[in-house]
Amino acid sequence: MKLLMVLMLVALLLHCYADSGCKLLEDVVEKTINSDISIPQYKELLQDFVDSDAAAEAMGKFKQCFLSQSHRTLKNFGLMMHTMYDSIWCNIKSN
């Protein structure tokens, strides 16, 4: 399950790097760590990125990983992601 989470985040980071815009990545991360968004809502919000039942099932399990975490862990994960967004590596592309 942890491998799935890492692979999905890497895919999102690569998608961002491929000139799709980091706003998309930030929005997906915020929806992922928001414990007020249920699995069905999450799947509906991200349905444009799902092309099969297997992908939808994986997305539900991915969201469940975050729903199972404490509020503190989710807050720290969000902080880590924002630290990455503000890093020199993200700023290189925009310069």
Side-chain angles (χ1 to χ4, degrees), residues 5-21:
M5 180 170 51
V6 169
L7 292 175
M8 289 185 76
L9 287 174
V10 168
L12 288 171
L13 287 171
L14 290 175
H15 191 266
C16 175
Y17 186 74
D19 268 350
S20 65

Side-chain angles (χ1 to χ4, degrees), residues 17-73:
Y17 186 74
D19 268 350
S20 65
C22 282
K23 181 67 175 146
L24 173 64
L25 175 63
E26 291 175 21
D27 290 346
V28 171
V29 169
E30 290 301 320
K31 291 171 184 165
T32 303
I33 65 175
N34 185 343
S35 58
D36 293 331
I37 296 178
S38 68
I39 292 173
Q41 290 171 320
Y42 184 73
K43 286 181 179 180
E44 184 179 327
L45 290 167
L46 301 175
Q47 67 186 356
D48 293 342
F49 303 103
V50 178
D51 61 356
S52 69
D53 290 339
E57 181 67 22
M59 188 173 282
K61 289 181 180 181
F62 181 71
K63 176 64 175 172
Q64 183 58 51
C65 287
F66 285 90
L67 290 175
S68 300
Q69 303 303 313
S70 69
H71 178 71
R72 180 178 176 197
T73 299

Side-chain angles (χ1 to χ4, degrees), residues 71-81:
H71 178 71
R72 180 178 176 197
T73 299
L74 295 175
K75 183 178 175 184
N76 286 339
F77 183 83
L79 179 61
M80 178 193 71
M81 293 304 294

